[in-house]
Amino acid sequence: MFVKHPRANFEPINAMLMQSLASKAILSAVELHIFDWLEGTTLCVDDLADRMGLLSQRLEPLLRLLAVAGLLEEQADGYTNSPLASEFLVKDAPLYQGENIRLTMRFNAMVENEIASLMAGGEVKQASSANDWGVADNMEGTAQDAKGGALSAVVDFVADLPGFDAFDAMADVGGNHGLYTLGVLERNAAMRGVIVDKPHVVALAQTRCDQLGFGDRVTTLGMDFKTDPFVSGVFDVILTSHVLYALSDDLPGALQKIADGLKPGGWFVSHHYSGYTAPGHEMAKASLELLTRLCGYASHFIEQETLIDALNDVGFETIRCQPVVENGMGLMVAAQMKK
């Protein structure tokens, strides 16, 4: 028979396939500045199309999609931004995420287009992707991601450490854009910071810090943390944000190097993903883990118990943990070296 009656419903699969178009439509809306046009005002489709030089017949379903996604609000006389769009998608908003969206979509596409070959042992163009972190637009993208995500929580977590007011030096390993360093230094006027990252990254990081008025309090150290020697007994706090997973192939060695860099009684703070097998946010976790493993890493998740055991083995004592936003996956861990 040519006509078969399905036993299941294909619609859930089709819906997932269409989500790819939706994400690209949101990126296009950012690049077309639709949210800038609609900030603080309500415009009908024809008026917005005329002002933007677009075809209203094609613009209407895009606006409808953005409304369904919760990014626009449909009024009787047209469309306006939702609070979510006003906070994150308007270019002059403090927490604007446009470069972060571009970076995420571009990086994901680099992997998505090669999934089959990567499954068979192929490799992502690691050299190219690694060098990209030192490109200005990409660094701004990672900075926007931090500002729209866990930056404030991590800075609060560090500033709440016992003895913080007496700290005078911190290192931000894999610090890239440097915002975690600047946020901590803003809370303690006596502190100085060192951003530790690959040599091609730190020059731009220093420029950004100089432009933001922290040039006299921030220096950079270009090195490969996996292979190059690090300083000893210098810092009151060493911070890593979404970096420790990249060092997990020798987690004890990385933690020992961090411990050696701390003063007696100094603190190590890690901000990373955890709870891979815990209930909740399963699709987000599965997607992130697939992306991470296809890029050649063992996992993007370091479980709380695993890290605590490794910290104890190195000689850390007082350990405190706190969850943070980011799809319910974020975790902050602080551990103090013996005094």
Side-chain angles (χ1 to χ4, degrees), residues 158-230:
V158 174
D160 194 44
L161 293 174
F164 175 76
D165 291 341
F167 291 178
D168 60 33
M170 71 166 288
D172 186 355
V173 176
N176 193 262
H177 47 74
L179 289 187
Y180 288 97
T181 298
L182 304 191
V184 172
L185 266 55
E186 218 173 25
R187 302 287 287 272
N188 183 337
M191 285 186 73
R192 295 178 177 272
V194 179
I195 298 172
V196 182
D197 214 312
K198 297 291 183 68
H200 70 278
V201 174
V202 295
L204 181 57
Q206 185 68 63
T207 298
R208 288 175 59 93
C209 293
D210 294 346
Q211 292 172 344
L212 292 170
F214 284 82
D216 60 337
R217 298 176 61 196
V218 175
T219 57
T220 57
L221 175 61
M223 63 173 288
D224 185 331
F225 196 80
K226 282 188 173 183
T227 58
D228 295 341
F230 192 46

Side-chain angles (χ1 to χ4, degrees), residues 55-103:
L55 298 176
S56 60
Q57 185 184 27
R58 298 181 181 183
L59 178 61
E60 190 279 329
L62 174 58
L63 299 182
R64 175 62 180 156
L65 184 152
L66 298 174
V68 171
L71 302 179
L72 297 181
E73 294 179 352
E74 189 172 4
Q75 312 285 355
D77 54 348
Y79 290 90
T80 189
N81 285 343
S82 70
L84 183 63
S86 292
E87 185 166 18
F88 295 120
L89 302 178
V90 175
K91 193 164 187 178
D92 60 0
L95 298 180
Y96 175 65
Q97 296 292 306
E99 293 302 333
N100 177 30
I101 293 171
R102 291 187 187 93
L103 175 62

Side-chain angles (χ1 to χ4, degrees), residues 262-283:
L262 291 168
K263 299 175 183 178
W267 289 86
F268 167 55
V269 175
S270 176
H271 162 229
H272 60 275
Y273 290 129
S274 185
Y276 179 51
T277 60
H281 310 283
E282 282 83 1
M283 182 58 76

Side-chain angles (χ1 to χ4, degrees), residues 5-11:
H5 293 283
R7 292 190 298 272
N9 185 359
F10 182 74
E11 186 53 35

